[in-house]
Amino acid sequence: MKSIFHTSLLFMRNGATIVGLITAVLFQVFFNFIWLSGYDQVNARMTQLAVTIVNEDGNEAEPVAKSLATNLDFEIKPSGSMEEARQLLTDRDVYMIIEIPSGFMQRAGDLSRPVSVKYVMNESNVATVKSVMQTVSAQVTAALNREVQQNSIHHMLDQSGMAAEQANVLAQGLSSRVEADVERVNPVQNFAFSMVPMLIVTATFTGAMLLGMNLQKVSGELSSKTGKWERFWARNMINLGAAFIVSLVGASMMHLMGVSSVDGWWMLWLFQWLITLTFLFVAQLSLLLLGNAGAWLNSALLPLLMLTSGSTIPRDVLPDFYQQIGHYLPATYAVEGMMNLVLGGNGIHRDVLLLTVIGTSTLVLGVLYTWIRRSVPARSDMSLESKPAETPAVMAGNLPSPDHG
């Protein structure tokens, strides 16, 4: 027992153990703070999801359309035609189209047959959106039933002088005359496929964090043998090769599990390669700027990327602070692109462009930092370059990295 206790003390005296304990604690701090603050009051903010109402029945149905827009507890975006509305839906600027079809009011007055309202939903979204929009369609149908019922009663009273009691009896048969005609764009038959965007963000950035930490350690161990530029570009050559291999394995696994891309497997692989390389550059920049402490910054980035990317809930219902941050983080465009590729959408050109911009920017910042650090008059860096490190490798986690000036 004494030997076990003594060995435990030896573990605790090692800097790597302390760093590991701090990292475990910080994961709890980061995930709890970022996720609980980001998801706070999400249900109340579901009204920020946007829908659009298209009135194809002209002026006659305008009061009905205005009544729906007023009473729906969701953001209403205007659209003048179904073509415009479908584009908004494909771009995920709205999450459902409510179409009042041509001749709706005329058919509503015909008591011999039901009248339908069309709902168009884009299932190339997180599962939360599908559930919420189904609830909205049921609410709208019920509201239209009440509206049609009221108009029909008034019409009959005006035309035939029917007594109010008789009208109320007849109204019970009119209460369910409006039917929902639901069209699903990009239908998702397998729930697992809708989880692919979140899988990509979580698995890829976690892998990028771990690879970056190990490359940082190796770079420190090689500081007495090679120059900073050689180590910097060697790291990025390894990043390039790692992105190739990791994305190839990931895309192949998805193919084996039945996940397909609307643009073919090759495009799925190449896009995942771009995502992986960008994540590697982002994780690397944290380590270059902060040394081994950059691993803690990456630990904070992981929950932030997952939250702001829109892989779990729509970004529209996040607090404004997190929505704004999401515009500058690569996971947002990784998720959007994966949704477009796997679930269907408007193509990945914009996502490829923005991922390339972010990846290139982080690489350039890494180059600039390496150049500036070399321009600083030699002090500790020179001593580290000129002699082998005396600190054991296991202690590297507790000391600034030689690559961090």
Side-chain angles (χ1 to χ4, degrees):
M1 188 69 183
K2 288 184 179 180
S3 61
I4 295 175
F5 181 74
H6 177 69
T7 304
S8 299
L9 290 178
L10 293 178
F11 268 93
M12 294 304 298
R13 289 171 184 170
N14 192 298
T17 302
I18 302 301
V19 170
L21 288 172
I22 294 174
T23 301
V25 171
L26 287 179
F27 262 104
Q28 291 292 321
V29 172
F30 293 144
F31 268 86
N32 276 277
F33 177 76
I34 293 173
W35 275 27
L36 292 181
S37 62
Y39 289 125
D40 185 45
Q41 301 300 319
V42 160
N43 289 340
R45 289 194 297 272
M46 282 295 176
T47 56
Q48 296 174 205
L49 294 177
V51 300
T52 186
I53 300 172
V54 179
N55 178 16
E56 299 281 357
D57 200 24
N59 294 331
E60 193 173 356
E62 193 62 29
V64 175
K66 288 183 177 179
S67 176
L68 283 178
T70 302
N71 295 321
L72 272 179
D73 290 331
F74 289 87
E75 181 184 350
I76 306 297
K77 286 194 174 182
S79 53
S81 65
M82 279 299 291
E83 182 180 358
E84 181 184 349
R86 285 181 179 275
Q87 188 60 51
L88 291 172
L89 188 71
T90 301
D91 294 340
R92 301 185 186 88
D93 292 327
V94 300
Y95 294 95
M96 186 170 69
I97 302 170
I98 303 172
E99 180 191 10
I100 301 175
S102 177
F104 175 83
M105 296 305 294
Q106 182 180 359
R107 288 194 294 272
D110 183 357
L111 306 183
S112 63
R113 57 178 180 171
V115 59
S116 63
V117 173
K118 188 169 188 176
Y119 304 95
V120 187
M121 305 178 190
N122 184 7
E123 294 195 2
S124 180
N125 277 295
V126 293
T128 310
V129 170
K130 179 179 178 179
S131 176
V132 171
M133 290 303 116
Q134 286 175 339
T135 302
V136 173
S137 64
Q139 292 174 348
V140 170
T141 302
L144 285 174
N145 268 308
R146 290 192 297 269
E147 193 82 24
V148 168
Q149 175 183 333
Q150 182 180 11
N151 290 339
S152 298
I153 292 173
H154 282 299
H155 178 73
M156 286 184 295
L157 287 172
D158 291 340
Q159 294 295 322
S160 64
M162 183 182 296
E165 291 182 2
Q166 291 176 300
N168 288 333
V169 172
L170 185 57
Q172 295 178 3
L174 301 175
S175 59
S176 300
R177 292 191 57 243
V178 178
E179 298 178 346
D181 177 14
V182 179
E183 177 187 346
R184 304 185 188 280
V185 179
N186 303 315
V188 178
Q189 305 299 333
N190 190 332
F191 178 78
F193 296 171
S194 65
M195 301 303 294
V196 167
M198 185 174 71
L199 177 156
I200 292 298
V201 171
T202 307
T204 306
F205 192 74
T206 302
M209 287 171 52
L210 296 174
L211 177 59
M213 289 167 59
N214 283 281
L215 290 179
Q216 181 78 1
K217 177 183 175 181
V218 173
S219 180
E221 293 172 351
L222 295 177
S223 61
S224 62
K225 301 177 182 178
T226 60
K228 291 185 177 68
W229 285 115
E230 287 82 358
R231 297 198 305 276
F232 175 78
W233 290 116
R235 287 170 71 162
N236 285 290
M237 285 184 63
I238 294 172
N239 284 336
L240 193 66
F244 180 91
I245 296 171
V246 169
S247 60
L248 180 61
V249 172
S252 298
M253 284 295 298
M254 284 194 286
H255 180 71
L256 290 174
M257 298 300 293
V259 179
S260 60
S261 166
V262 294
D263 293 325
W265 179 85
W266 286 96
M267 187 59 68
L268 181 67
W269 170 41
L270 290 174
F271 187 65
Q272 191 172 350
W273 173 81
L274 178 61
I275 293 171
T276 306
L277 189 62
T278 303
F279 282 9
L280 284 167
F281 287 159
V282 170
Q284 174 181 263
L285 182 62
S286 299
L287 293 161
L288 288 174
L289 294 177
L290 301 177
N292 293 309
W296 295 337
L297 175 57
N298 287 332
S299 299
L301 276 176
L302 177 60
L304 189 62
L305 290 171
M306 294 173 66
L307 173 71
T308 61
S309 65
S311 62
T312 54
I313 60 172
R315 296 178 61 247
D316 309 65
V317 301
L318 293 173
D320 289 338
F321 172 74
Y322 288 111
Q323 288 190 42
Q324 294 304 316
I325 288 179
H327 291 305
Y328 304 99
L329 296 177
T332 300
Y333 310 107
V335 167
E336 288 182 359
M338 275 296 170
M339 282 183 176
N340 290 335
L341 278 177
V342 175
L343 305 179
N346 205 26
I348 61 172
H349 301 88
R350 175 176 176 270
D351 305 305
V352 167
L353 174 62
L354 291 171
L355 281 171
T356 302
V357 169
I358 294 173
T360 303
S361 299
T362 51
L363 179 61
V364 169
L365 287 172
V367 171
L368 288 175
Y369 179 77
T370 302
W371 179 75
I372 292 171
R373 186 160 47 86
R374 283 179 61 85
S375 301
V376 175
R379 44 184 182 80
S380 59
D381 276 352
M382 286 298 294
S383 64
L384 287 169
E385 292 281 359
S386 61
K387 63 179 183 179
E390 298 177 0
T391 307
V394 292
M395 292 288 289
N398 199 36
L399 297 173
S401 166
D403 277 356
H404 182 239

